[in-house]
Structure formats: structure tokens, C-alpha cells
Amino acid sequence: MAEVQEGSNSGEDPTPAKKMKMDIDPNSAITELLKKCDDYRLFRLIKFYQDRLEQAIEEGVERLSLMLKDSDHFSEQENQKVTELTEKRSRADSSKLLLNLVMEKGSQARRVMWESLVKICDGLPKLDEILKEIQERGSDSFDYMDTAQDLSEVPSQLEDVQQKHKDTLREQTETLRVNSILIKETVKLFQLVDHYAELSVISIPRDIQLVEHELLARSREHDVWREKHLRKEMEKIQPEQLFQSSSTETEGKPRRSAAVSGVQGIGKTTMVQKIVYDWAIGKIYPHFQFVFSFEFRDLNVINCKINLRNLILTFYPYLFNVLGELWKNPEGLLFIFDGLDKFKNSVNFADSQRNIEPKSMCTDPEFQCEVSDIVYSLIQNKLLPGCSVLVTSRPTALQLLEKAEINVWAEILGFVGEKRKEYFNKIFEDQTVAAAVFKHVEENEILYTMSYNPSYCWILGLSLGPFFTQGDGKEQQVPKTITQLYSQYIYNILKNHGQEIENPRDVFLKIGEMAFAGISEKKTVFTNEDLIKYGTQPSHFLSHFLEELLEKDDSAQSVAYTFPHLTIQEFVAALAQFLTPDPKDIGKLLGEAHSKEGGRFEIFLRFVSGLSSPQSAQPLEEFLGPFLQQTSSRVIDWVKEKVKGQLGNTKSKIGKRNHMNTLHYLSESQNKVLAQSTVGSVETFKFCGLRLTPIDCVVLSHVIGLCNTIKHLNLENCFIQYEGLQRLGPVLYKCRELRLGRNKLGDLGVKLLSEALRNPDCKIQKLELKSNALTDACAEDLASALGTNQSLAILSLSNNKLGDSGVKLLSAALKNPDCKIQTLVLKNNSLTNSCTEDLASTLGTNRSLTDLILGGNKLGDSGVKLLSAALRNPDCKIQKLLLWDVGITDSCAEDLTSALSANRILTDLNLGSNAFTDRSVPAFCNLIQTCRSLKWIWLGRNRFSPSKKRHLKLLQNSRPGLSVEV
């Protein structure tokens, strides 16, 4: 028999570390052949013969499973599951499960399995036939497999092979496979070009850090990025622009590598599919001769050493004869690796050892190494220098690429503007239903904010569709909270597929336990081994519930499962807590989850809180049986304890975020009694400096609506913008002090606030609106509100752009005798002397205004002289006047000080950072000596000589209680 050729760089002993507990004939030719096979060839043997092996081992599957258990490669549970299937007369399923488990286990399990097959082949004619076939071909078996994988004749010309490759990719990508739970068919197929919705892809800075649950963080940032994009501050790029032609260079370097990130479900894989499809039909990237697309979840199955040549042939076997030719022109090759976050092996670009250790260097497409080394070497331009590489990843894995040679960084934003509505129209064939669903989503703040993400849109469509489809006419409450939405999602699964399993409660409990473990371990892809570990196995039901991601085809020979979305995994994990027969440790579990940093369990905790609500639980109880009341009671007690415990914890950003999270629990619970007992008597909510999402604002609005004693709401620098303010609008009138500075509310935001001020029950006494990008366009709305409001006493509008025209409108409102404003802050508002006549007129008639802050404007001498005349009016009530840095000089000093001396009620005066000189000192001395009400005067940063400064300073000695600062 011919000798087997060993791998090109395999110097390791391929025999297993543990000897079999059975006697294998040492003279057997097939045994000798298998001993000399390296790990990759054993992998190839199973891959090539898998369909035949499934049938060949049916009658001996129990013996084979027992041998794998005795050699410690199968657990007792796994062996039991294989045996159970044979006892249920499902030998075909049993043999399929065994082979899939072996592929998941790795090279040692594969080697033991082949040795065991030799042992049990007597009496199994189909198995005996396979082994004899391998034995007869000897080393030629592998050449045969290389040429036999593609049964059609491989064209000899490169042009013909390229066309075949394009035809193959087109066939693979022209349809879009989407799971469906609303109809009996489990999968719907769409034409990609008909169902594909354009996503916004933007270039992003590399230093964006993710510190929270990625879905929360990215939904929080989405509207920020959207605003920047709409203002063209960030570059929007089309997928076809990720790689320019080879002649195009950026900063002197060709665009050879690109990384595209996005949260789960945002459309990364679909975008890759569209790129491959468009290349295959000749629409984009004509300078690439060949495109090779891989998914990391498929590469997980290749748990042995391999070279680039065999990696490509594993997925594209018809290229067997031409790869050597392709290596000659690497500039014509594009490699796509999708889903770095799903790769079970690490690709560490910061590891300096890769550059010096031979085992990690991969510069030859024929060199055998780990799959991770191939990916690393392609991206770093060490393997096939000149080729191009595209990598996609969730943000959680982006840090792996920080040290990589990436030329283009991009982020998928998802849907912007009308694209959301267009996608809903594509989900539903009935456009009336599509319009009704979208209208409900649009009107619900939480649901609408979720809908930037295509996968969220799909969940929304699947869950809400039945409510707007002609049914049995029963009155049903349409979901409003996130928990109610996901409860409806699972309800639809049970309604359509629940009859396919005997005990759905038990199945959901087991799958929920697995889901919870996945959250704990940051795991989203599960195998048959995982299912068995948690007491279940692949079934007809599970194929509907868990999306089967690795189909049995040339790309993989193992099956993996994942939840359609991470949030569904989190919901099922939460659901399991209400199905367990013994909930005694639920409080401890929730406490530990809440204490974890990074927000990993945050959505899980919201779902647990929400499922304590009868509205969320009721649909599921129809199929899963009643939830334990004891569990719900303990969850409610836990939420109560956490909400009360966090009320005063607002000193740090972490404390504020934890406080907001507990309000989310409260909102999801929809428990008014609980809310009244925890926040009903709260007086202050302080979230300044914490970036709040529109959903946060919805929750805060809900909670404030339940508060009877709310006085202070501090949302300064929370970046809530107009969209967040919309959510808060209905309850703002209840607050006495409202701090909304640095939120980019804009003029539209003031329009919303004006409505709150016009509310006859308005209690707002202090309104802080500094640094909100306000212009004169908002002044009319604000002036109108000030004319009717009876509560507002302090209004701060500093650091905006109201301008003279805006202040003129406000001045007219201040003349209204019903206006109660006592303090008006207008510093840094681009004011000039043009508005001072109106302001002066106001000072002469207004009976309430005592504090006027005008610093940082360019009023000039002429403007301040007009104000001085008004200050002489005996009806003027000004006690505090701040005029620092307003562009005044000695020429107005006499008028101003004379007027203020006549005022007789002035207490505080700031005239710093102007252009006064020693010539003005006598006027200021006179003011200090004659204005007996004056308590503080600041004249710093003027042009006084040291001696005059000392003279002014000494004057305070003659006036007890007076502070003079120069």
C-alpha cells in the first residue's frame, strides 16, 4: 500500500495522547494509514464521507458512542442522548448527532472515532465498504477528495473558472433567508435585491470605546451620529467605497484592509452578502479577480492546522487547479471575514511574539498553521502581500483590531429617517398592516427608538403584526414596553409551534438556563454539546426557535445554534427564572447580576422586572403554565430595594447610571403600587453629566409622572437633545427647578418647553437653558410663554445665540405686568448696543426683575449709557448687575456709577474684564462711598495701576460688609 504524504510542516506525532482501551490490529493497513494522517486529513475524511458515514454507522452507533465515552471524549450526558435517540427508533438522528459532536470535539476525538470505526466495522457492510475504499486508495484518497468534491468538470482557463466562481457566489447570495414565526413555514426566502434596505455606513474615529451593554451604548450613540451625519460632519460611505481600485491611494497607502463594525442585527452579514452578490454580477470592484467570503462561525469548525490553500478549497473546491495561478496576482484577491466576535480563537494583533515565532508566522499559502494565524497574516499583509481584506465585527470585539494594519474603519448606523418605514413596508405583503404597525411603533417612544436596527424591526414586525391583521376580533392590548413586546414574540412562537413539543415549559426552562450561562460567559453561539449539557437536544421545535446557522453543506460539517438576537437570548434567560420550581435564590442571582460591571446583565434584569407584571406574563402562561407567584413577589421586593437604594446615589457617573437602570426596572414592571411606594415622594432626580438615551427619557418621564412631590430635575449635560425632550415634555411642568443646560435642545426644544410653561398647572420656578444652541428663532415662543406664566422666577439663557432681535422679543414680554421673572441671565449671547434700548425700557417698567446678567456681550459704551439712564428710574428694582467683558471704557464710567448711586438698592456689581483705566477710579470711589446698599463689587482685569488698585481695595475698610475685588 502506498505511503501517506504527511503535511508540509507537520513534525508532530499524530497518534493520540491516550491509548485506546481496545485492541487494534497493528498490521491493519487502514490502521497504519490513519496513524499517518495529520489532523487536517482526518477532518477531511469525515467531511468527505459524512453523509455516507451517517448511514453506515446507524446500527453500531451505541457501541461507537460508548467507545468515545470510555476514552473520555464523550460525557455521560452525550452518550445518553445518543442512546436515547436509538431507543426512540431515531437511529438516523442518533448517528448524525454523534458525528456532529465528534466534529465539535476536535482532532483527538476524530482520531479515536476512526480507530473505533475500524474496530466495529464487522457486521456493518456500509462502513466496511468505506474503510476498504480508503484503504485501496491509500494516499491517493486525498487527491481523489480534492478532485471529487466538485462533480462538474472544472474549466481549465482562469477566465472560465472566474465565471464559474461568480455564478456560484451569485447563486449562494441572490436570496435572503429570514426566519418567520407567524406562519407554518419556518423560513421565508426573499430576493436579496427586493428585500435589501440601504443602511447608513459612516467612517468613524478609532477611539470609540464601549463600556456598557453594546446595544444600550450603540442605541445611545446612534442619534448622536445620525445628527452629525445629517449635518455632514461625518463621512457617509457606500459599501462599494470601502476599497478603491488598486491605483487609488489614501495618505500614500492603498486601501487594502477595512473593518466594519456594528451591533448585533444591524446588518453586517447582509451587507457582506450584498457586496459578494454585487461583485458576482459585475456591479462593483471590477479590479478584484476573485472574492473569497468566510464566516468566522464556519471557521470555528476547523479545529486543526490547515493552510490557506486547503482553507479555500474547503469552501470552494472547484478552484483546485487554479490556486497556484491566483497566488501570482494577490492584488486581484479580496478576502472577507464576517463576524470576528463569533470566532472562538483569538486573533491578537498586539502579540509581538507572532513576528518572531515560526509557528505563528504564515507567509506561504501552502504553510500549515492555525486558522487564526492565516487571518492575522492576511490582514497584516504578510501572507499574499497586496491582497485586500474586509473584517466585520460587533463593537465588543473591536479592541482585537486596534493594533491591526487597518486602512478603513467604518460603522453601520442602521436605518436613518424614512428608511425605517421602507423596511416595514418590505416586511409585510399587506401594506395596510405595514402602515398600522409602523404607526404604532412611531407613536411608542421606546419601540421607535429600537427601530434603527433591522433585526429589531423584524422582531417588532413579527410581534406586532398579528395585532393589526384581521383575526378573531378579540380585544387585545398592543405591547408598549420592551418586555411586553418580547413576551408577544415568544407567544407567537408557542402559538404556531408549541404543539410540536410535549412539555414547552420544561424546554424553555432548559434553554433559558443555557441562555443565562451564555450571558455569563459572553457566549452567543451554541453547539449540540451545549444543548445536551442543559438537558435537551436538537428537535423540530428547536429548529424553529433557535436559528440554525451552520447548515449541512460544503462550508461546515457541524451544526451551531444561536438566538435570532442577543436580546432574545436575554429574554429567554429571564423567562427561565419564572419557570423554575424553586425560586429561593432568585434574589441572590439578581443581586450578583446587578453587581457585574459593563452592563452585561442589564437587559436581562429589565426583562426579569418586566415579567413580574401580569400584562407581560399572561400571554406566555397560556402555553407555559402559571408563573410562580413567589418568584414574582421576590422580584418585586428586589426591585423595590434597588430603587430605594439608588435614589441618593448620584455623586458618581456609575451611581447615576445604576439609578437610571433601576428606574428602567420600575418602568418595565408597570406596577403603580410599587412605583408609588418607591418614587412617589421623591423630590430630586439628578443625572447631570450622564448621557441619556431617548428611551431613558421615556422611562424618566413615566417615573416623574408618578411622583407627587418632584421639585428638582437636573439633566444638565445629558445630551438629551430635542428627541429626548419630546419624551419628557408632558411632565416637565411638575418640576420647580429644571436644569437643562448643555443638551443641544435647539429652538424646537424651546417650543416644547414653552408649552410646559403655558400649562396652567406649571410649577417651574427656575429654568436653566445655557449652551443649547438657541437663536432668535425661539424667542417668540419663549416670550409668549413668559407673558402668561405665573411661576417662573429665574431664567438662564447664557451661552446661546439669541442676538439683538431675540432679546428685543424677550424685552417686550418682560414688560407684561403678569411676568414674574426675577433673574435673567443673558451672558454670551452675541448682543450689541442695538438691543439695549429695549432692555432699558424693560428696566423702567418691570416690577419683578432684580438680577440682570449681561456679561460676555459687546454692548459698548453707548449701550451701557442707555442702561444707565434706566437704572436712574426710581421704579427700577435691579439689585445685581453683572457687566463683565461687555466692551466698555472710561467714557461711560461717570454715567454708570452715578446711576447706580441713585439706585440705592444695588448689592452686587461686576464690571471686570473691561477697559477702565485710572481715569475711572474717582467715579468708582464715589460709587463705593455713596451706594450704601452695595455689598460686593468686582473690578478685576481692568487697566488700573497697582497704586489705584490698592486705593480701591482700601475703601472696603470704611464700609463693613463690603467686598471690593480688583
Side-chain angles (χ1 to χ4, degrees):
M1 186 186 73
E3 287 289 319
V4 175
Q5 244 183 347
E6 295 190 34
S8 59
N9 68 320
S10 176
E12 301 173 6
D13 182 7
T15 57
K18 292 187 178 182
K19 299 298 182 183
M20 292 292 297
K21 295 182 180 181
M22 63 198 79
D23 294 323
I24 298 177
D25 181 6
N27 298 317
S28 167
I30 183 66
T31 300
E32 290 301 313
L33 175 68
L34 293 173
K35 278 185 178 181
K36 294 183 179 180
C37 285
D38 60 20
D39 293 341
Y40 172 67
R41 285 179 168 173
L42 288 176
F43 168 81
R44 290 284 311 284
L45 280 175
I46 298 182
K47 187 172 171 5
F48 184 75
Y49 284 106
Q50 183 154 355
D51 290 339
R52 289 174 63 186
L53 278 173
E54 285 177 6
Q55 299 179 35
I57 66 173
E58 282 185 16
E59 297 304 319
V61 69
E62 295 119 305
R63 280 185 291 161
L64 185 56
S65 179
L66 185 60
M67 290 175 177
L68 286 161
K69 183 182 86 69
D70 289 343
S71 60
D72 296 330
H73 288 94
F74 271 16
S75 67
E76 180 63 45
Q77 286 177 304
E78 289 164 344
N79 177 54
Q80 186 178 347
K81 285 296 178 184
V82 172
T83 305
E84 281 179 7
L85 285 173
T86 61
E87 291 171 352
K88 294 178 181 178
R89 299 183 179 180
S90 299
R91 287 188 172 275
D93 289 338
S94 179
S95 61
K96 183 181 296 187
L97 176 60
L98 183 143
L99 289 175
N100 283 330
L101 286 170
V102 168
M103 290 298 279
E104 291 168 11
K105 298 290 183 182
S107 56
Q108 288 288 45
R110 288 194 285 265
R111 189 173 297 281
V112 170
M113 188 197 74
W114 278 111
E115 292 173 347
S116 302
L117 290 174
V118 174
K119 180 68 177 178
I120 68 171
C121 67
D122 290 341
L124 299 175
K126 291 181 180 179
L127 175 59
D128 191 51
E129 182 181 335
I130 292 172
L131 294 176
K132 284 181 178 178
E133 188 177 298
I134 295 172
Q135 179 178 323
E136 288 169 3
R137 290 199 177 100
S139 61
D140 295 334
S141 294
F142 303 101
D143 292 334
Y144 173 76
M145 286 189 292
D146 285 335
T147 56
Q149 286 188 72
D150 181 37
L151 299 179
S152 61
E153 184 180 349
V154 178
S156 57
Q157 297 298 319
L158 193 59
E159 215 171 276
D160 295 337
V161 178
Q162 185 194 54
Q163 189 56 52
K164 177 178 176 59
H165 185 55
K166 286 188 172 185
D167 291 343
T168 301
L169 292 182
R170 178 183 53 76
E171 291 173 5
Q172 290 175 352
T173 57
E174 63 187 355
T175 57
L176 192 62
R177 177 182 180 272
V178 184
N179 279 14
S180 172
I181 60 172
L182 300 183
I183 51 179
K184 290 301 179 183
E185 58 179 314
T186 61
V187 174
K188 293 191 74 171
L189 293 177
F190 298 93
Q191 289 298 308
L192 178 65
V193 293
D194 295 334
H195 199 69
Y196 184 78
E198 183 184 351
L199 300 165
S200 290
V201 183
I202 61 170
S203 59
I204 60 168
R206 289 180 54 181
D207 59 352
I208 289 180
Q209 297 295 316
L210 186 74
V211 294
E212 302 175 79
H213 185 294
E214 67 173 13
L215 298 172
L216 293 176
R218 283 309 186 256
S219 64
R220 182 170 298 125
E221 299 295 339
H222 180 259
D223 291 312
V224 179
W225 291 337
R226 181 182 64 183
E227 182 197 22
K228 288 184 178 180
H229 158 60
L230 293 175
R231 293 207 316 254
K232 303 188 184 304
E233 288 183 12
M234 304 191 79
E235 178 193 4
K236 180 180 177 182
I237 57 178
Q238 299 296 328
E240 58 266 28
Q241 295 173 313
L242 291 171
F243 298 96
Q244 305 295 341
S245 64
S246 56
S247 60
T248 303
E249 296 188 359
T250 303
E251 298 179 356
K253 294 182 180 180
R255 288 187 172 186
R256 293 294 182 202
S257 58
V260 176
S261 70
V263 298
Q264 187 182 11
I266 200 70
K268 300 183 295 295
T269 298
T270 305
M271 186 194 75
V272 165
Q273 183 177 340
K274 186 67 162 52
I275 287 174
V276 174
Y277 175 78
D278 284 347
W279 176 81
I281 64 173
K283 188 176 178 180
I284 63 172
Y285 299 148
H287 55 289
F288 288 133
Q289 276 188 307
F290 285 83
V291 172
F292 305 111
S293 182
F294 307 96
E295 293 195 41
F296 277 107
R297 63 173 184 241
D298 291 345
L299 300 182
N300 286 337
V301 182
I302 306 175
N303 42 21
C304 59
K305 287 189 176 182
I306 194 171
N307 57 34
L308 178 60
R309 177 183 182 277
N310 288 329
L311 179 64
I312 292 175
L313 292 178
T314 300
F315 297 88
Y316 307 105
Y318 49 82
L319 298 177
F320 177 73
N321 290 324
V322 300
L323 287 180
E325 194 66 26
L326 299 189
W327 306 151
K328 297 177 183 178
N329 181 31
E331 289 81 5
L333 306 179
L334 170 62
F335 293 88
I336 300 176
F337 295 98
D338 183 31
L340 177 62
D341 50 281
K342 292 185 173 69
F343 194 32
K344 68 179 182 181
N345 298 316
S346 174
V347 188
N348 186 1
F349 291 88
D351 185 1
S352 59
Q353 294 298 312
R354 283 185 177 273
N355 296 316
I356 58 176
E357 291 188 8
K359 67 177 183 180
S360 296
M361 291 177 61
C362 183
T363 58
D364 186 340
E366 306 292 332
F367 184 88
Q368 281 190 300
C369 56
E370 301 295 336
V371 173
S372 60
D373 292 322
I374 294 175
V375 175
Y376 170 88
S377 300
L378 285 170
I379 293 175
Q380 295 298 82
N381 212 29
K382 297 177 182 292
L383 177 59
L384 297 180
C387 73
S388 297
V389 183
L390 169 62
V391 182
T392 73
S393 173
R394 280 165 54 189
T396 45
L398 270 187
Q399 71 275 9
L400 298 175
L401 295 172
E402 284 181 355
K403 302 294 184 181
E405 295 293 331
I406 301 294
N407 303 128
V408 180
W409 295 82
E411 174 89 10
I412 300 181
L413 286 185
F415 296 137
V416 173
E418 288 296 308
K419 294 297 179 183
R420 306 183 193 211
K421 186 175 182 180
E422 289 178 19
Y423 189 71
F424 277 101
N425 291 338
K426 291 181 178 182
I427 291 177
F428 297 100
E429 294 178 6
D430 187 336
Q431 293 303 290
T432 305
V433 175
V437 170
F438 182 72
K439 184 174 185 293
H440 177 74
V441 170
E442 197 173 26
E443 291 173 350
N444 185 291
E445 320 296 358
I446 291 179
L447 303 187
Y448 184 73
T449 304
M450 292 171 62
S451 66
Y452 78 94
N453 187 313
S455 65
Y456 280 141
C457 286
W458 187 248
I459 292 169
L460 286 164
L462 294 177
S463 304
L464 298 175
F467 289 94
F468 300 97
T469 305
Q470 191 65 34
D472 53 16
K474 290 182 180 179
E475 189 72 25
Q476 290 179 295
Q477 183 181 359
V478 184
K480 291 183 178 180
T481 68
I482 298 177
T483 308
Q484 289 173 9
L485 179 78
Y486 279 74
S487 179
Q488 191 63 35
Y489 180 89
I490 301 298
Y491 169 81
N492 286 326
I493 292 176
L494 291 164
K495 183 178 180 182
N496 288 285
H497 305 296
Q499 69 278 8
E500 296 165 6
I501 53 175
E502 294 178 4
N503 189 345
R505 185 185 183 100
D506 184 54
V507 169
F508 268 83
L509 174 59
K510 292 174 180 176
I511 296 299
E513 290 171 348
M514 183 182 76
F516 181 83
I519 299 169
S520 304
E521 300 164 12
K522 297 183 179 180
K523 183 175 184 177
T524 59
V525 180
F526 303 93
T527 63
N528 289 315
E529 185 177 352
D530 294 313
L531 293 176
I532 291 171
K533 179 181 177 181
Y534 288 94
T536 186
Q537 63 190 50
S539 68
H540 188 46
F541 169 73
L542 289 177
S543 68
H544 296 76
F545 176 55
L546 296 175
E547 183 182 11
E548 192 173 37
L549 292 181
L550 294 185
E551 298 178 353
K552 290 288 297 295
D553 57 22
D554 286 338
S555 65
Q557 292 300 326
S558 183
V559 177
Y561 298 90
T562 185
F563 293 86
H565 198 276
L566 175 60
T567 48
I568 295 175
Q569 178 178 335
E570 291 165 316
F571 182 85
V572 175
L575 177 58
Q577 310 310 314
F578 293 84
L579 304 179
T580 180
D582 184 10
K584 63 181 180 181
D585 292 329
I586 183 70
K588 180 182 178 182
L589 181 144
L590 297 178
E592 290 175 352
H594 187 260
S595 66
K596 297 291 184 183
E597 295 182 359
R600 192 189 314 173
F601 286 94
E602 186 49 44
I603 299 296
F604 163 80
L605 290 170
R606 293 184 191 181
F607 282 140
V608 171
S609 303
L611 284 168
S612 68
S613 161
Q615 298 101 303
S616 299
Q618 188 176 358
L620 298 174
E621 288 178 324
E622 180 181 334
F623 293 98
L624 301 179
F627 288 5
L628 290 180
Q629 187 58 44
Q630 187 180 7
T631 303
S632 298
S633 297
R634 291 185 177 181
V635 169
I636 291 170
D637 289 342
W638 181 83
V639 172
K640 183 176 182 178
E641 176 191 345
K642 287 301 172 187
V643 173
K644 285 189 171 182
Q646 290 293 337
L647 285 176
N649 184 17
T650 56
K651 292 182 179 179
S652 68
K653 185 171 287 189
I654 293 176
K656 291 169 186 174
R657 173 48 59 192
N658 286 337
H659 184 196
M660 177 55 69
N661 288 339
T662 62
L663 298 185
H664 275 274
Y665 309 154
L666 198 60
S667 177
E668 287 294 321
S669 74
Q670 295 290 290
N671 189 324
K672 288 187 177 181
V673 174
L674 175 62
Q676 290 291 343
S677 67
T678 52
V679 299
S681 57
V682 169
E683 293 187 353
T684 302
F685 283 115
K686 184 179 180 181
F687 294 104
C688 51
L690 180 69
R691 180 163 285 179
L692 302 182
T693 69
I695 292 181
D696 289 334
C697 293
V698 174
V699 169
L700 187 55
S701 177
H702 170 74
V703 171
I704 292 174
L706 298 171
C707 291
N708 302 317
T709 55
I710 182 70
K711 292 181 180 178
H712 309 287
L713 178 61
N714 187 341
L715 300 182
E716 188 170 327
N717 196 26
C718 289
F719 212 78
I720 61 174
Q721 303 185 87
Y722 173 75
E723 193 168 357
L725 193 65
Q726 270 186 309
R727 276 66 175 167
L728 289 162
V731 298
L732 294 179
Y733 76 94
K734 299 179 67 174
C735 307
R736 295 185 186 180
E737 181 178 342
L738 198 53
R739 302 183 69 90
L740 297 172
R742 299 177 187 170
N743 275 299
K744 293 192 175 182
L745 301 179
D747 297 326
L748 286 176
V750 172
K751 185 180 285 289
L752 286 172
L753 285 169
S754 298
E755 292 176 11
L757 290 170
R758 280 192 285 265
N759 189 313
D761 296 322
C762 180
K763 295 180 175 59
I764 301 174
Q765 298 175 6
K766 180 177 181 179
L767 179 59
E768 167 67 74
L769 291 175
K770 65 182 179 184
S771 304
N772 266 300
L774 308 183
T775 72
D776 59 346
C778 73
E780 187 172 354
D781 291 297
L782 188 56
S784 172
L786 294 180
T788 59
N789 181 277
Q790 297 293 303
S791 62
L792 188 63
I794 301 173
L795 176 62
S796 174
L797 296 166
S798 59
N799 302 324
N800 286 294
K801 300 289 182 183
L802 293 178
D804 295 329
S805 57
V807 170
K808 285 180 180 181
L809 287 168
L810 290 179
S811 298
L814 291 171
K815 292 177 183 178
N816 189 313
D818 292 327
C819 180
K820 307 299 182 184
I821 293 292
Q822 297 173 16
T823 299
L824 180 62
V825 183
L826 291 172
K827 67 179 182 180
N828 298 328
N829 257 288
S830 303
L831 307 184
T832 72
N833 61 347
S834 296
C835 71
T836 51
E837 185 174 354
D838 295 280
L839 271 175
S841 175
T842 298
L843 298 182
T845 58
N846 186 283
R847 296 292 185 270
S848 60
L849 188 63
T850 59
D851 298 353
L852 182 61
I853 293 89
L854 294 170
N857 293 292
K858 300 305 175 186
L859 305 181
D861 292 333
S862 59
V864 172
K865 284 180 179 180
L866 286 170
L867 290 176
S868 299
L871 292 170
R872 293 178 185 276
N873 190 316
D875 292 327
C876 179
K877 305 298 183 185
I878 292 297
Q879 299 175 22
K880 180 185 291 186
L881 181 63
L882 306 187
L883 291 173
W884 79 90
D885 190 23
V886 293
I888 50 179
T889 69
D890 294 332
S891 65
C892 77
E894 188 68 37
D895 289 300
L896 181 60
T897 55
S898 175
L900 291 174
S901 296
N903 179 275
R904 299 190 181 281
I905 59 172
L906 183 74
T907 60
D908 296 80
L909 177 64
N910 186 334
L911 294 173
S913 299
N914 282 295
F916 295 119
T917 69
D918 289 354
R919 290 172 54 196
S920 301
V921 171
F924 290 124
C925 290
N926 182 61
L927 173 67
I928 293 170
Q929 291 169 339
T930 59
C931 186
R932 310 307 295 178
S933 59
L934 191 62
K935 296 180 179 179
W936 174 79
I937 180 171
W938 192 68
L939 296 170
R941 296 182 183 177
N942 279 291
R943 300 172 185 176
F944 301 131
S945 65
S947 61
K948 295 299 182 184
K949 287 182 181 180
R950 285 194 296 272
H951 179 66
L952 286 168
K953 191 72 175 173
L954 286 171
L955 288 177
Q956 69 180 348
N957 296 332
S958 62
R959 288 275 314 277
L962 172 66
S963 174
V964 179
E965 297 182 31
V966 291

